[in-house]
Amino acid sequence: MIILAIESSCDDTGAALIEEGRRPLSNIVSSQDEVHKRYGGVVPELASRRHLENIVPVIRGALEEAHTSLDDVDAVGVTRGPGLVGSLLVGIMAAKSIAYAKDIPLVGVNHLMGHLLAIFLEQEVPFPLVGMVASGGHTALYLVEGFTTFRFLGGTRDDAAGEAFDKVAKYLGLGYPGGMVIEKMARLGDPRAISFPRAYIAKDSLDFSFSGIKTAVVNYVRSHPPSDDGMADIAASFQEAAVDVLVNKIIWAAQRYGVDRVVVSGGVASNGRLRERLEQEGEEFGIKAYFPSPHLCRDNAAMIGVAGYHLLKAGRRDGLDMSAISRWPLGKE
Ligand code: KG4
Ligand code: ZN
């Protein structure tokens, strides 16, 4: 079965062709970072307009790279939510048009489910597993018992982890998106130079809060205007605080549910320090950590194809009246 998958929930336009739910024949992402850079964050109106311009060339590109045509496509999977409605609608309209014209099944996919299943494009991981999505829009932990069985364990009460990286980078004048620039700068600094707060909320809580650490960075910079070296120490100390919380909570979740494997995805999962620390500390507790390659951690359509495949296999179909769902919790029902 070949699925055409489409992703347009935020600021990246993606299309991919996925064979048998795991083999990517193509995976094209058109990033809008250049558009939103000058505003230091995603501007929804600009994002949807850019999706409109990009969607057809990106789908064409994915078909060409896979050496296929729409006649070879068996079903269409598209991100239905959560995300920006104006952005989601562009992908959904394209998906519906193709499903209607070719008379093939259509399935709407929860974006978070896509992130959690991205790892299966590269390797098999046995269930059950603890999955974490850490991105610019989400920070959430799940118990994943099968391809379509998710239980929400905890999430952020304020900012997402990636959002904290973005806001701190913006405040320090390092540019957008913030994750990669902070990581690069952090390599030059001392992670123990400044002790920023770690918000654990309560002992054993699996919820997160990242707004306090962002404020702590702002307050620190106000009272200690940094030199160039100082900037690297701030970046390294901030990153270490964010990574500490993520690593500890992922391990707590695995221990609480008696699971010895964890999968981390979303843009923040590209972070080298997070990978290194979770691998090391996980090993001490007999927990193996899995991370998709960075291009599959970030928003992409291939992961939507994996999720779409398993939803279709489970009998899910959506009609041409399918709407976008801007807030769509996963695993809370
Ligand atoms: O998954 P993604 O591409 O889009 C969303 O669904 O949000 O994630 C983007 C987020 C941004 O906040 C970005 O700053 C963060 O992931 N990010 C990182 C790194 N690379 C991207 N955060 C920390 N370290 C990185 N290396
Ligand atoms: Zn995402």
Side-chain angles (χ1 to χ4, degrees), residues 110-124:
N110 186 308
H111 180 80
L112 295 160
M113 179 177 172
H115 275 302
L116 289 166
L117 298 183
I119 190 76
F120 293 97
L121 290 159
E122 297 183 318
Q123 55 185 308
E124 291 298 309

Side-chain angles (χ1 to χ4, degrees), residues 98-324:
I98 293 167
Y100 176 69
K102 292 291 164 187
D103 194 20
I104 51 179
L106 168 73
V107 68
V109 173
N110 186 308
H111 180 80
L112 295 160
M113 179 177 172
H115 275 302
L116 289 166
L117 298 183
I119 190 76
F120 293 97
L121 290 159
E122 297 183 318
Q123 55 185 308
E124 291 298 309
V125 185
F127 296 113
L129 57 90
V130 160
M132 151 146 267
V133 182
S135 69
H138 307 276
T139 305
L141 276 166
Y142 296 88
L143 179 65
V144 184
E145 292 177 299
F147 285 109
T148 57
T149 322
F150 304 89
R151 190 157 131 209
F152 177 82
L153 305 179
T156 187
R157 295 184 179 181
D158 41 56
D159 292 350
E163 193 178 354
F165 275 85
D166 294 337
K167 286 180 175 170
V168 166
K170 186 176 176 182
Y171 184 71
L172 297 177
L174 298 176
Y176 171 86
M180 236 143 46
V181 275
I182 295 245
E183 181 177 3
K184 209 166 144 198
M185 176 137 276
R187 285 193 207 115
L188 308 171
D190 174 3
R192 284 171 303 274
I194 308 147
S195 169
F196 288 126
R198 274 80 168 149
Y200 288 103
I201 299 172
K203 190 172 170 337
D204 291 343
S205 165
L206 297 179
D207 280 339
F208 297 85
S209 167
F210 288 103
S211 67
I213 184 175
K214 174 198 68 194
T215 312
V217 173
V218 172
N219 290 339
Y220 181 87
V221 172
R222 281 206 186 121
S223 52
H224 308 75
S227 61
D228 284 354
D229 289 355
M231 281 291 241
D233 283 346
I234 294 171
S237 302
F238 158 73
Q239 176 177 268
E240 203 65 7
V243 165
D244 263 349
V245 176
L246 290 169
V247 167
N248 281 319
K249 299 220 171 199
I250 295 167
I251 292 177
W252 292 349
Q255 288 177 323
R256 185 175 311 170
Y257 292 91
V259 169
D260 61 5
R261 43 197 100 80
V262 298
V263 173
V264 190
S265 192
V268 180
S270 317
N271 186 279
R273 185 74 182 144
L274 172 65
R275 288 177 177 241
E276 178 185 286
R277 292 266 319 271
L278 186 58
E279 272 164 10
Q280 273 171 12
E281 280 157 56
E283 209 176 295
E284 287 167 26
F285 294 100
I287 296 165
K288 182 157 168 51
Y290 298 82
F291 299 88
S293 298
H295 73 285
L296 297 173
C297 282
R298 59 176 293 196
D299 284 352
N300 68 87
M303 66 185 195
I304 301 303
V306 181
Y309 172 83
H310 290 286
L311 289 169
L312 287 165
K313 247 179 65 173
R316 271 290 302 276
R317 301 283 184 281
D318 284 295
L320 294 173
D321 57 350
M322 182 178 80
S323 57

Side-chain angles (χ1 to χ4, degrees), residues 4-9 12-16 28-30 32 47-63 70 76-79 86-98 301:
L4 167 65
I6 298 173
E7 154 65 39
S8 68
S9 64
D12 294 312
T13 322
I28 306 265
V29 181
S30 170
Q32 301 183 7
S48 48
R49 278 194 229 164
R50 191 50 76 96
H51 282 305
L52 267 177
E53 290 166 22
N54 287 349
I55 192 80
V56 171
V58 165
I59 293 172
R60 280 218 176 98
L63 289 164
L70 285 179
V76 187
V78 61
T79 307
S87 290
L88 289 162
L89 281 173
V90 177
I92 290 175
M93 294 308 281
K96 283 184 187 175
S97 311
I98 293 167

Side-chain angles (χ1 to χ4, degrees), residues 2-6 14-19 22-29 57-69 73 121 295-296 300-306:
I2 294 182
I3 293 185
L4 167 65
I6 298 173
L17 284 131
I18 303 298
E19 197 170 40
R22 60 162 60 93
R23 206 164 78 83
L25 304 177
S26 61
N27 186 21
I28 306 265
V29 181
V58 165
I59 293 172
R60 280 218 176 98
L63 289 164
E64 274 167 25
E65 196 175 293
H67 306 292
T68 51
S69 77
V73 173
L121 290 159
H295 73 285
L296 297 173
N300 68 87
M303 66 185 195
I304 301 303
V306 181

